[in-house]
Amino acid sequence: MSDYILVLDEGTTSTRAMLFASDGVLVASAQEELTQHYPRSGWVEHDAAEIWDKTLKCANAVIPKAGGAAMIAGIGITNQRETVVAWDTSTGEPLTRAIVWQDRRTEPFCADLRDAGHEAEVQRRTGLLLDPYFSGTKMRWMLDNVPDVRAAADAGRLAFGTVESWLVFKLTGGGAHITDASNASRTLLMELAGEGFDAGLCDLIGVPHSALPAVTDMSGSLAQTDAALFGREIPITGLVGDQQAATIGQACLSPGQTKATYGTGAFVLTNQGETIPQSTNRLLGTVLMQIAGKRTYAIEGSVFVAGSLVQWLRDSLGILQEASETEALARSIETSGGVTIVPALSGLGAPHWNADARGVITGLSFASGKAEIARAALEAMAHQTHDLACAFAADGTAWETLRVDGGMAANNWMAQDLADMLGVPVERPDFVETTALGAAMLAAAGAGVYPDLESAAEAMRGKTKRFTPNMENAVREERLTRWRKALNAV
């Protein structure tokens, strides 16, 4: 058997197929952008059929680079976690558009649950807060507002799943309806100490247990693709939510090790080992890994807007032609001239959890130009991360080093700014697409290319670059003061 690994990387703005060799080297990739639908303010949707069609197109583009399907040892899938797909099991077709993790439409329902006093118990059991971010309330909204979804539920034909679950269903020709433990832990429907979805939590949110997938390990022989798709069956040997995948790709396999991914949003996870996290600072507990039935947990802080802020500056305001321009613009001036951006374009995530917050730009003057705004956008990444660092420290998990990845992390100015504002070294791998790499590690171990995940990580993780703090305390405090003042304006 060959030791090539095919990774299907299902992001928020694009889908990719990436072919890895056993040493972690990227051999080939193909990418297709996904259409973003914004039917109302605060609503974000995807077309699940488009996700499947473009995923299949990308997979078919890279498999020949391995010499054909017979040379693929296993498939790993990593995905935008809380996005929900509803489909009809009899037709295999979506019943409505997928509701994306950024979507805020279920805030009134979450507020009702909070007002009824359920949040403390839900957080204790699931590690999560009652926020529209998570999958379960999106499922309930579909049931209440989309007649086809309710009819399918009544007829016993409804399937709910996050994106990896949807793709496995399609890849197996409808033969498997499964989800991995990392994605299941983001639904509000699974107790961190439990094996599968919890009937009591399903009743509280109002989601039929029968429509949910089976919860599986994240590595191993999980399913087989339909032979008609690629000319032969290919084992699916890795399933993992994107932020857990990046944590694994950064080899944060021991308690205390921390990574931050700067993609569409920004997500920080610290490995907690076998201890179920209980945050008192509005951070989240989540499943980091489940292999052979054994779970490792993580504590997480989620920022909703990171790279999407730069995308907004480019696409909506026209300040940038390319996202990569931000580094040169930031270096072209000494300071942001007092300009501060709070990028709450879809609410504020951890540790604030303000779904009604909206973005603000403060400190503008006639001297402010696109360089000041671009620099302020990058500075906002460090400001938001600093808020998370304070919350993690208050929960007893202060960071000694931060490992960073994601598309934005390739920006050297931003990486140095993170180290300066956090006051800790920042490490960045040469290969910053660690989400895909983590899925490849899980799939390689699951396919038997390596005996275990630790061996896969040791063999496949590449070199890193280190950024050390170099900022005067007075400069740091001045920026944080401006940031806190701007936060009060959202």
Coordinates of all heavy atoms in Angstrom, one line a residue, residues 328-388:
A328 N 3.4 45.2 4.2 CA 4.1 46.3 3.8 C 3.5 47.6 4.3 O 4.2 48.6 4.6 CB 4.2 46.3 2.2
L329 N 2.2 47.7 4.3 CA 1.5 48.9 4.8 C 1.8 49.1 6.3 O 2.1 50.2 6.7 CB 0.0 48.8 4.6 CG -0.4 49.0 3.1 CD1 -1.9 48.6 3.0 CD2 -0.2 50.4 2.6
A330 N 1.8 48.0 7.1 CA 2.1 48.1 8.5 C 3.5 48.6 8.7 O 3.7 49.4 9.7 CB 1.8 46.8 9.2
R331 N 4.4 48.1 7.9 CA 5.8 48.5 8.1 C 6.1 49.9 7.6 O 7.2 50.5 8.0 CB 6.7 47.5 7.4 CG 6.7 46.1 7.9 CD 7.8 45.3 7.3 NE 7.7 43.9 7.7 CZ 8.3 43.5 8.9 NH1 8.9 44.3 9.7 NH2 8.2 42.2 9.2
S332 N 5.2 50.5 6.8 CA 5.5 51.8 6.2 C 5.3 53.0 7.1 O 5.6 54.1 6.8 CB 4.6 52.0 5.0 OG 3.2 52.2 5.3
I333 N 4.7 52.7 8.3 CA 4.5 53.8 9.3 C 4.9 53.3 10.7 O 5.1 52.1 10.9 CB 3.0 54.1 9.4 CG1 2.1 52.9 9.5 CG2 2.6 54.9 8.1 CD1 0.6 53.2 9.6
E334 N 5.2 54.2 11.6 CA 5.7 53.9 12.9 C 4.6 53.4 13.8 O 4.8 52.6 14.7 CB 6.4 55.1 13.5 CG 7.7 55.5 12.8 CD 8.8 54.3 12.9 OE1 8.9 53.7 14.0 OE2 9.5 54.1 11.9
T335 N 3.4 54.0 13.7 CA 2.3 53.6 14.5 C 1.0 53.7 13.7 O 1.0 54.2 12.6 CB 2.1 54.6 15.8 OG1 1.6 55.8 15.3 CG2 3.4 54.8 16.5
S336 N -0.1 53.3 14.3 CA -1.4 53.4 13.6 C -2.0 54.8 13.7 O -3.1 55.0 13.2 CB -2.4 52.3 14.2 OG -2.7 52.7 15.5
G337 N -1.2 55.7 14.3 CA -1.7 57.0 14.5 C -3.0 57.1 15.4 O -3.8 58.1 15.2
G338 N -3.1 56.2 16.3 CA -4.2 56.2 17.2 C -5.4 55.5 16.7 O -6.4 55.3 17.4
V339 N -5.4 55.0 15.5 CA -6.5 54.2 14.9 C -6.6 52.8 15.5 O -5.6 52.1 15.6 CB -6.4 54.1 13.4 CG1 -7.6 53.3 12.8 CG2 -6.4 55.5 12.7
T340 N -7.8 52.5 16.0 CA -8.0 51.2 16.7 C -9.2 50.6 16.1 O -10.3 51.2 15.9 CB -8.1 51.3 18.2 OG1 -7.0 52.0 18.7 CG2 -8.3 50.0 18.9
I341 N -9.1 49.3 15.7 CA -10.3 48.6 15.2 C -10.7 47.5 16.1 O -9.9 46.7 16.6 CB -9.9 48.0 13.8 CG1 -9.6 49.1 12.8 CG2 -11.1 47.1 13.3 CD1 -9.2 48.5 11.4
V342 N -12.0 47.4 16.5 CA -12.6 46.3 17.2 C -13.4 45.5 16.1 O -14.4 46.0 15.7 CB -13.5 46.7 18.3 CG1 -14.1 45.5 19.0 CG2 -12.7 47.6 19.3
P343 N -12.9 44.4 15.6 CA -13.5 43.7 14.5 C -14.7 42.8 14.8 O -14.7 41.6 14.5 CB -12.3 42.9 13.9 CG -11.5 42.6 15.1 CD -11.6 43.7 16.0
A344 N -15.7 43.4 15.5 CA -16.8 42.6 15.9 C -17.9 42.6 14.8 O -19.1 42.9 15.0 CB -17.4 43.3 17.2
L345 N -17.5 42.2 13.6 CA -18.4 42.2 12.5 C -19.4 41.1 12.6 O -20.4 41.2 11.9 CB -17.6 42.1 11.2 CG -16.5 43.2 10.9 CD1 -15.8 42.9 9.6 CD2 -17.1 44.5 11.0
S346 N -19.2 40.1 13.4 CA -20.2 39.1 13.7 C -20.3 38.8 15.2 O -20.4 37.7 15.6 CB -20.0 37.8 12.9 OG -18.7 37.3 13.2
G347 N -20.3 39.9 15.9 CA -20.3 39.8 17.4 C -18.9 39.6 17.9 O -17.9 39.4 17.2
L348 N -18.8 39.5 19.2 CA -17.5 39.3 19.9 C -17.5 37.9 20.5 O -18.5 37.5 21.2 CB -17.3 40.3 21.0 CG -16.8 41.7 20.6 CD1 -16.7 42.6 21.8 CD2 -15.4 41.6 20.0
G349 N -16.5 37.1 20.3 CA -16.3 35.8 20.9 C -15.7 35.9 22.2 O -15.8 36.8 23.0
A350 N -14.9 34.9 22.6 CA -14.3 34.8 23.9 C -13.3 35.9 24.1 O -12.6 36.3 23.1 CB -13.5 33.4 24.0
P351 N -13.1 36.4 25.3 CA -13.8 36.0 26.5 C -15.1 36.9 26.7 O -15.7 36.8 27.8 CB -12.8 36.2 27.6 CG -12.0 37.4 27.2 CD -11.9 37.3 25.7
H352 N -15.5 37.7 25.7 CA -16.5 38.7 25.9 C -17.9 38.1 25.7 O -18.9 38.4 26.4 CB -16.3 39.9 25.0 CG -14.9 40.4 25.1 ND1 -14.5 41.2 26.2 CD2 -13.9 40.3 24.2 CE1 -13.2 41.5 26.0 NE2 -12.8 41.0 24.8
W353 N -18.1 37.3 24.6 CA -19.3 36.6 24.3 C -20.5 37.6 24.2 O -21.4 37.6 25.0 CB -19.6 35.5 25.2 CG -18.6 34.4 25.1 CD1 -17.7 34.0 25.9 CD2 -18.5 33.5 23.9 NE1 -16.9 33.0 25.4 CE2 -17.4 32.6 24.2 CE3 -19.2 33.3 22.7 CZ2 -17.0 31.6 23.3 CZ3 -18.8 32.4 21.9 CH2 -17.7 31.5 22.2
N354 N -20.3 38.6 23.3 CA -21.4 39.6 23.1 C -21.9 39.4 21.6 O -21.3 40.0 20.7 CB -20.8 41.0 23.3 CG -21.9 42.1 23.2 OD1 -23.0 41.8 22.7 ND2 -21.5 43.3 23.6
A355 N -23.0 38.7 21.5 CA -23.5 38.4 20.1 C -24.0 39.7 19.5 O -24.1 39.8 18.2 CB -24.6 37.4 20.2
D356 N -24.4 40.7 20.2 CA -25.0 41.9 19.7 C -23.9 43.0 19.3 O -24.2 44.0 18.7 CB -26.0 42.6 20.6 CG -27.2 41.7 20.9 OD1 -27.6 41.0 19.9 OD2 -27.7 41.6 22.0
A357 N -22.6 42.7 19.7 CA -21.6 43.7 19.4 C -21.4 43.9 17.9 O -21.6 42.9 17.1 CB -20.3 43.3 20.1
R358 N -21.0 45.1 17.5 CA -20.7 45.3 16.1 C -19.4 46.1 16.0 O -19.0 46.8 16.9 CB -21.8 46.1 15.4 CG -23.1 45.2 15.2 CD -22.8 44.1 14.3 NE -24.0 43.2 14.1 CZ -24.2 42.1 14.8 NH1 -23.3 41.7 15.6 NH2 -25.3 41.3 14.5
G359 N -18.7 46.0 14.9 CA -17.4 46.5 14.8 C -17.3 48.0 14.8 O -18.3 48.7 14.5
V360 N -16.2 48.5 15.3 CA -16.0 50.0 15.4 C -14.6 50.3 15.0 O -13.7 49.4 15.2 CB -16.2 50.5 16.8 CG1 -17.7 50.3 17.3 CG2 -15.3 49.9 17.8
I361 N -14.4 51.5 14.4 CA -13.0 52.0 14.2 C -13.0 53.3 14.9 O -13.8 54.2 14.7 CB -12.8 52.2 12.7 CG1 -13.0 50.9 11.9 CG2 -11.4 52.7 12.4 CD1 -12.8 51.0 10.4
T362 N -12.0 53.5 15.8 CA -11.9 54.7 16.6 C -10.5 55.4 16.3 O -9.6 54.8 15.7 CB -11.9 54.4 18.1 OG1 -10.8 53.6 18.5 CG2 -13.2 53.7 18.5
G363 N -10.4 56.7 16.6 CA -9.2 57.4 16.5 C -8.9 57.9 15.1 O -7.8 58.3 14.8
L364 N -9.9 58.0 14.2 CA -9.7 58.5 12.9 C -9.5 60.0 12.9 O -10.1 60.7 13.6 CB -10.9 58.1 12.0 CG -11.1 56.6 11.7 CD1 -12.5 56.5 11.0 CD2 -10.0 56.1 10.8
S365 N -8.6 60.4 11.9 CA -8.4 61.8 11.7 C -8.1 62.0 10.2 O -8.0 61.1 9.5 CB -7.2 62.4 12.6 OG -6.0 61.9 12.1
F366 N -7.9 63.3 9.8 CA -7.6 63.5 8.4 C -6.2 63.0 8.1 O -5.9 62.8 6.9 CB -7.6 65.0 8.1 CG -9.0 65.6 7.9 CD1 -9.4 66.6 8.8 CD2 -9.8 65.1 7.0 CE1 -10.7 67.1 8.6 CE2 -11.1 65.6 6.8 CZ -11.6 66.6 7.6
A367 N -5.4 62.6 9.1 CA -4.1 62.0 8.8 C -4.2 60.5 8.6 O -3.2 59.9 8.3 CB -3.2 62.3 10.0
S368 N -5.4 60.0 8.9 CA -5.5 58.5 8.8 C -5.7 58.1 7.3 O -6.5 58.7 6.6 CB -6.7 58.1 9.6 OG -6.7 58.5 10.9
G369 N -4.9 57.1 6.9 CA -5.0 56.6 5.5 C -5.1 55.1 5.6 O -5.3 54.5 6.6
K370 N -5.0 54.5 4.4 CA -5.1 53.0 4.3 C -4.0 52.3 5.1 O -4.2 51.2 5.6 CB -5.2 52.5 2.9 CG -3.9 52.7 2.1 CD -4.2 52.1 0.7 CE -2.9 52.2 -0.2 NZ -3.2 51.6 -1.5
A371 N -2.8 52.9 5.2 CA -1.7 52.3 6.0 C -2.1 52.2 7.5 O -1.9 51.2 8.1 CB -0.4 53.1 5.8
E372 N -2.7 53.3 8.0 CA -3.1 53.3 9.4 C -4.2 52.3 9.7 O -4.2 51.5 10.7 CB -3.6 54.7 9.8 CG -2.4 55.7 10.1 CD -1.8 56.2 8.8 OE1 -2.5 56.0 7.7 OE2 -0.8 56.8 8.8
I373 N -5.1 52.2 8.7 CA -6.2 51.2 8.9 C -5.7 49.8 8.8 O -6.1 48.9 9.5 CB -7.4 51.5 7.9 CG1 -8.0 52.9 8.3 CG2 -8.4 50.4 7.9 CD1 -9.0 53.4 7.3
A374 N -4.9 49.5 7.8 CA -4.3 48.2 7.6 C -3.5 47.8 8.9 O -3.6 46.6 9.4 CB -3.5 48.1 6.4
R375 N -2.7 48.7 9.4 CA -1.9 48.4 10.6 C -2.8 48.1 11.8 O -2.6 47.2 12.6 CB -0.9 49.5 10.9 CG 0.0 49.2 12.1 CD 1.1 50.2 12.2 NE 1.9 50.0 13.4 CZ 3.2 50.0 13.5 NH1 3.9 50.2 12.4 NH2 3.8 49.8 14.7
A376 N -3.9 48.9 11.9 CA -4.8 48.8 13.0 C -5.5 47.4 12.9 O -5.8 46.8 14.0 CB -5.8 49.9 13.1
A377 N -5.8 47.0 11.7 CA -6.4 45.7 11.5 C -5.5 44.5 12.0 O -5.9 43.6 12.7 CB -6.8 45.4 10.0
L378 N -4.2 44.6 11.7 CA -3.3 43.6 12.2 C -3.1 43.7 13.7 O -3.0 42.7 14.4 CB -1.9 43.8 11.5 CG -1.9 43.5 10.0 CD1 -0.5 43.6 9.4 CD2 -2.5 42.2 9.6
E379 N -3.0 44.9 14.2 CA -2.9 45.1 15.7 C -4.1 44.5 16.4 O -3.9 44.0 17.5 CB -2.8 46.6 16.0 CG -1.4 47.2 15.6 CD -1.3 48.7 16.0 OE1 -2.4 49.3 16.4 OE2 -0.2 49.2 15.9
A380 N -5.2 44.5 15.8 CA -6.4 44.0 16.4 C -6.3 42.5 16.7 O -6.9 41.9 17.6 CB -7.7 44.2 15.5
M381 N -5.5 41.8 15.9 CA -5.2 40.4 16.1 C -4.5 40.2 17.4 O -4.9 39.3 18.2 CB -4.4 39.8 15.0 CG -5.0 39.9 13.6 SD -6.7 39.3 13.5 CE -7.6 40.8 13.3
A382 N -3.5 41.0 17.7 CA -2.7 40.9 19.0 C -3.6 41.3 20.1 O -3.5 40.7 21.2 CB -1.5 41.7 18.9
H383 N -4.4 42.4 19.9 CA -5.3 42.8 21.0 C -6.3 41.7 21.4 O -6.5 41.5 22.6 CB -6.0 44.1 20.6 CG -5.1 45.2 20.3 ND1 -5.5 46.3 19.5 CD2 -3.9 45.5 20.7 CE1 -4.5 47.2 19.4 NE2 -3.5 46.7 20.1
Q384 N -6.9 41.1 20.5 CA -7.9 40.1 20.8 C -7.2 38.9 21.4 O -7.7 38.3 22.4 CB -8.6 39.6 19.5 CG -9.5 40.7 18.9 CD -10.2 40.2 17.6 OE1 -11.4 39.9 17.6 NE2 -9.5 40.0 16.6
T385 N -6.0 38.5 20.9 CA -5.3 37.4 21.5 C -4.8 37.7 22.9 O -4.8 36.8 23.8 CB -4.1 37.1 20.6 OG1 -4.5 36.9 19.3 CG2 -3.4 35.8 21.1
H386 N -4.5 39.0 23.2 CA -4.1 39.4 24.6 C -5.3 39.2 25.5 O -5.1 38.7 26.7 CB -3.6 40.8 24.6 CG -3.0 41.2 25.9 ND1 -3.8 41.7 26.9 CD2 -1.7 41.3 26.3 CE1 -3.0 42.0 28.0 NE2 -1.8 41.7 27.6
D387 N -6.5 39.5 25.1 CA -7.7 39.3 25.9 C -7.8 37.8 26.3 O -8.1 37.4 27.4 CB -8.9 39.8 25.2 CG -9.1 41.3 25.2 OD1 -8.3 42.0 25.9 OD2 -10.0 41.8 24.5
L388 N -7.5 37.0 25.3 CA -7.6 35.5 25.5 C -6.5 35.1 26.5 O -6.7 34.3 27.4 CB -7.5 34.8 24.2 CG -8.7 34.8 23.3 CD1 -8.4 34.1 22.0 CD2 -9.9 34.2 23.9

